[in-house]
Amino acid sequence: MKAYEIMTDIIGAEFIASRGENTVDCLKIGDANQEIKKIATCLTVTPDLIREMKEWGAELVITHEPTFYNHADEFHPDRLSSQKKKALEDAGFTVYRYHDSMHDRAEDEVNLSMIERMGWKGEFDGDMHINLSEGRSARDIARAASEKLGIKHPRIVGNPDFKATRIKLATGARGGWCYKEFLSSETDEIAVSGELCEWEDCEPIRDAAQFGWKKAIVILGHAGSEKFAMETLAESINGKYDGAEARYFDCGEIYTY
């Protein structure tokens, strides 16, 4: 199958028709008509992954996050972006972004994948909240994230030991509004976060906890909170498109410890 045919099926023809150019889910580089036998998925395309995917023989690369360092993925010919663009062109990849439609479905696919990987049981609203059938503490969640998601160093802000059943899934980078809403609620609640602003988002939670509020945030890192969803994607499409092989490539954590 051709790259655009595969991506039209993955993103969804209805989503493409409804959003038009008002989405980042589109071709980023390469040939939409390229015939595809090998599909690589990743959270974000790094130089190391370009080399690994090229060695494997990938033709179509599906990335969740931007390639050129801005959300719209607009290419600006600075030194680093130009070097990366050349590396992608030399590798012969066709690169598509799969982001907006992944989050905008009836059930957010990233958060649904987290719930499944963590083994949580409860009522998921399809967006950013799950009410668990059994309460967990921030410390419980951090420990489980290490064991089940392979995250080396989860961090906790606020009270680490109270048990809550309401969990806010602030995966990726959801923005400060998310944490203001979280703080304003009087419900005992834990947020599981990708990345956030320490001064604006974390300091209020620390203060609230010191006043005795039952609030906490477990911070997994942007990659740590979302990348497994792209692994799930590779598993779900492997062999689906005229037998094309799909494989997930892990970009790793951004920090060195």
Side-chain angles (χ1 to χ4, degrees):
M1 290 181 70
K2 294 180 179 180
Y4 81 88
E5 294 174 320
I6 294 171
M7 293 311 302
T8 297
D9 184 68
I10 291 172
I11 295 170
E14 289 185 5
F15 179 87
I16 294 169
S18 66
R19 295 289 287 269
E21 295 183 357
N22 188 30
T23 178
V24 298
D25 291 8
C26 57
L27 176 71
K28 298 302 174 184
I29 196 168
D31 180 8
N33 289 300
Q34 183 177 9
E35 291 289 339
I36 303 301
K37 296 298 182 185
K38 286 192 172 183
I39 305 168
T41 73
C42 61
L43 182 81
T44 188
V45 181
T46 66
D48 280 351
L49 289 194
I50 292 173
R51 290 185 279 268
E52 290 178 26
M53 292 186 290
K54 182 179 179 180
E55 183 178 353
W56 180 64
E59 296 142 339
L60 172 61
V61 175
I62 308 173
T63 178
H64 185 65
E65 297 298 3
T67 299
F68 296 115
Y69 318 112
N70 61 87
H71 179 66
D73 231 357
E74 296 172 344
F75 172 72
H76 301 287
D78 57 70
R79 180 184 176 192
L80 180 59
S81 295
S82 296
Q83 185 171 353
K84 194 171 189 181
K85 182 172 183 286
K86 185 177 185 304
L88 289 165
E89 290 172 340
D90 289 347
F93 296 153
T94 293
V95 180
Y96 271 85
R97 181 103 175 265
Y98 180 39
H99 180 275
D100 295 350
S101 55
M102 200 172 195
H103 287 294
D104 288 351
R105 301 193 188 284
E107 290 188 317
D108 183 306
E109 288 188 358
V110 173
N111 286 343
L112 183 61
S113 182
M114 168 172 278
I115 290 167
E116 292 172 347
R117 296 288 175 115
M118 293 289 279
W120 287 339
K121 305 297 181 185
E123 185 178 345
F124 177 42
D125 68 1
D127 186 20
M128 293 179 64
H129 290 92
I130 181 170
N131 291 311
L132 299 175
S133 56
E134 180 181 347
R136 286 171 173 78
S137 69
R139 203 183 299 275
D140 294 334
I141 292 171
R143 183 178 295 113
S146 290
E147 295 170 354
K148 297 180 179 182
L149 305 180
I151 298 169
K152 295 178 182 177
H153 296 281
R155 292 167 288 163
I156 299 172
V157 180
N159 184 332
D161 293 316
F162 76 94
K163 290 188 180 292
T165 55
R166 184 169 172 81
I167 308 298
K168 189 179 194 74
L169 300 171
T171 50
R174 297 286 179 153
W177 65 269
C178 168
Y179 301 99
K180 289 180 175 62
E181 180 184 84
F182 172 72
L183 190 63
S184 68
S185 168
E186 295 185 13
T187 304
D188 298 350
E189 191 173 1
I190 297 169
V192 180
S193 173
E195 64 171 282
L196 70 178
C197 175
E198 289 188 4
W199 175 246
E200 292 186 354
D201 304 325
C202 294
E203 291 288 359
I205 299 301
R206 177 166 68 172
D207 282 1
Q210 290 180 10
F211 276 126
W213 297 20
K214 292 184 177 180
K215 296 285 183 181
I217 304 175
V218 181
I219 306 170
L220 306 181
H222 196 125
S225 73
E226 291 195 309
K227 62 183 185 178
F228 46 82
M230 297 305 287
E231 184 175 16
T232 298
L233 173 65
E235 292 167 355
S236 68
I237 64 174
N238 186 36
K240 180 178 179 181
Y241 300 109
D242 290 345
E245 185 178 357
R247 177 178 165 185
Y248 167 71
F249 288 79
D250 195 318
C251 63
E253 293 192 41
I254 198 168
Y255 299 106
T256 299
Y257 298 95

